[in-house]
Amino acid sequence: MRNILLSVFLILIIGISSCTKLLEDDFAEFNDHWVINNIMIAGDSIEVEITKTTSVNGEGNPPVEDALIQLMVENETFELSYDENSATYKLNQQIETAKEYNFELFDASGVLKTSFNQMIPPPQPILSIEHIDVAGVDDEGVTHPAIKIEVPNNAAKNYFYVNIRLLEKKYDFEIEEIDDNRFEIFKIEDPILLNEGVPFPLFTNELMTGNSQEVFMNYQAGETNVNGVWVGENYPLVVELWTLNEAYYEFMKQNYQYENSRYPIIGSGNQTAISNFDNIDGAYGINAGYSYIKTDTIYPSGTENYFNQ
């Protein structure tokens, strides 16, 4: 009996030791593929980021500092310069719409790693815009505003995104647009928006009829208590209409699915992880862009003197 117990004890010790060794071993080497991010916005300068993939043992994604990026635009060739402060490759040339940008990326030894091209579509106009101070109420009876814009319906397929941005007073009384303080679009009801299946104002002209189409968006700007009643607040704002190329449209949809699959809601059904958007041959990354137009400041009722207070 004692021999049997001793044998079982030795087997357990060997098993535990084996498990411990397995966990302590390094993972297999991971190929350091290039990851390239090239988001082009009309009016901005050109900036390309190149990093390397790493294994789970690595720390962050190290930048590639010795690449060569050549750009051809309308038979002119340019070379991007590496900027150590931003760890990106830059060219101080304003991005224009309806021009084809052809990139070739080489490693330090002169080997071509990848090439890609991109064209930014011209911005489509906002034909008309209406601010609705009280468009409805939420489940708790708090009012909320809405924006209704009219956009053209062209023969070619167009891809759009609407950005409603808050304007805020600074201490020196200058007016500043707040990039991170975008109003929340919620309670999507417009069929043009519902067709996309995402909770933000991304849409195409796929379902549009006629020469133009109105798109309706509820949004929230906070709430305040007035005489014991909670009501929705209004603030001065600007509205941007982004005209996307197809790649940026696909990136926005895929990125939403990717983020949801990374942090799924327990019990919500399918928990399968979804990869993020990737359209760089021979590497990973994003090559996409957009143009945009912006309205003048819109003053909902009661906000006309907001910046004079």
Side-chain angles (χ1 to χ4, degrees):
M1 182 66 179
R2 179 179 297 176
N3 291 335
I4 295 175
L5 291 176
L6 180 60
S7 298
V8 172
F9 178 75
L10 289 174
I11 291 172
L12 288 174
I13 291 296
I14 293 171
I16 292 172
S17 299
S18 299
C19 292
T20 303
K21 186 177 187 302
L22 176 63
L23 291 175
E24 289 177 349
D25 281 345
D26 288 336
F27 290 93
E29 289 296 320
F30 191 82
N31 293 326
D32 54 350
H33 295 290
W34 280 14
V35 180
I36 301 161
N37 288 319
N38 180 40
I39 303 298
M40 300 181 69
I41 305 172
D44 286 3
S45 58
I46 297 169
E47 185 172 5
V48 180
E49 179 186 51
I50 309 176
T51 57
K52 290 182 180 180
T53 57
T54 58
S55 71
V56 293
N57 293 326
E59 296 182 3
N61 297 94
V64 176
E65 302 178 355
D66 54 1
L68 171 65
I69 302 180
Q70 291 183 341
L71 169 64
M72 179 173 286
V73 186
E74 295 185 336
N75 298 320
E76 284 191 86
T77 302
F78 306 90
E79 186 174 314
L80 278 66
S81 301
Y82 184 73
D83 179 65
E84 294 184 354
N85 293 324
S86 62
T88 58
Y89 294 82
K90 294 183 175 182
L91 178 63
N92 189 22
Q93 183 183 91
Q94 192 176 72
I95 298 169
E96 300 180 48
T97 63
K99 282 188 175 182
E100 187 168 7
Y101 291 81
N102 297 281
F103 294 84
E104 290 187 334
L105 284 70
F106 302 84
D107 65 16
S109 62
V111 175
L112 178 66
K113 295 285 288 186
T114 187
S115 62
F116 48 82
N117 59 69
Q118 184 173 174
M119 182 178 291
I120 307 300
Q124 296 300 308
I126 297 176
L127 302 177
S128 65
I129 186 165
E130 178 185 358
H131 186 272
I132 304 164
D133 295 341
V134 179
V137 296
D138 63 17
D139 295 337
E140 298 179 354
V142 179
T143 62
H144 64 263
I147 287 284
K148 182 165 62 177
I149 65 171
E150 182 183 5
V151 299
N153 180 23
N154 300 313
K157 190 168 185 178
N158 291 136
Y159 306 90
F160 299 105
Y161 173 76
V162 177
N163 180 29
I164 302 177
R165 184 174 294 171
L166 168 68
L167 294 180
E168 186 175 89
K169 290 184 295 185
K170 295 174 66 177
Y171 290 111
D172 56 5
F173 300 104
E174 293 180 3
I175 299 173
E176 180 182 39
E177 293 182 23
I178 309 301
D179 288 334
D180 297 331
N181 201 358
R182 300 174 181 180
F183 288 135
E184 178 189 356
I185 303 294
F186 84 117
K187 198 178 178 181
I188 293 178
E189 302 169 327
D190 193 295
I192 299 295
L193 299 180
L194 288 172
N195 185 55
E196 300 301 327
V198 293
F200 45 85
L202 179 74
F203 61 98
T204 74
N205 59 347
E206 181 181 2
L207 300 183
M208 295 182 184
T209 58
N211 296 324
S212 64
Q213 178 74 41
E214 290 184 338
V215 181
F216 181 87
M217 292 157 286
N218 295 299
Y219 76 91
Q220 291 178 315
E223 57 190 48
T224 187
N225 191 297
V226 178
N227 298 324
V229 179
W230 288 98
V231 298
E233 292 186 296
N234 284 314
Y235 295 96
L237 52 92
V238 294
V239 176
E240 293 177 353
L241 178 64
W242 297 9
T243 303
L244 321 173
N245 59 21
E246 185 176 4
Y248 201 89
Y249 166 82
E250 295 293 345
F251 161 66
M252 293 189 76
K253 296 195 75 170
Q254 187 80 5
N255 188 62
Y256 167 72
Q257 297 175 350
Y258 166 74
E259 292 294 343
N260 275 2
S261 71
R262 290 178 67 197
Y263 309 106
I265 301 174
I266 302 300
S268 61
N270 187 5
Q271 310 275 320
T272 304
I274 297 174
S275 61
N276 208 340
F277 181 79
D278 174 16
N279 66 340
I280 303 288
D281 291 335
Y284 298 108
I286 302 165
N287 174 44
Y290 63 91
S291 61
Y292 70 95
I293 60 167
K294 182 171 60 177
T295 66
D296 294 331
T297 303
I298 298 172
Y299 292 92
S301 299
T303 66
E304 294 83 1
N305 297 317
Y306 177 79
F307 295 110
N308 297 324
Q309 298 174 0

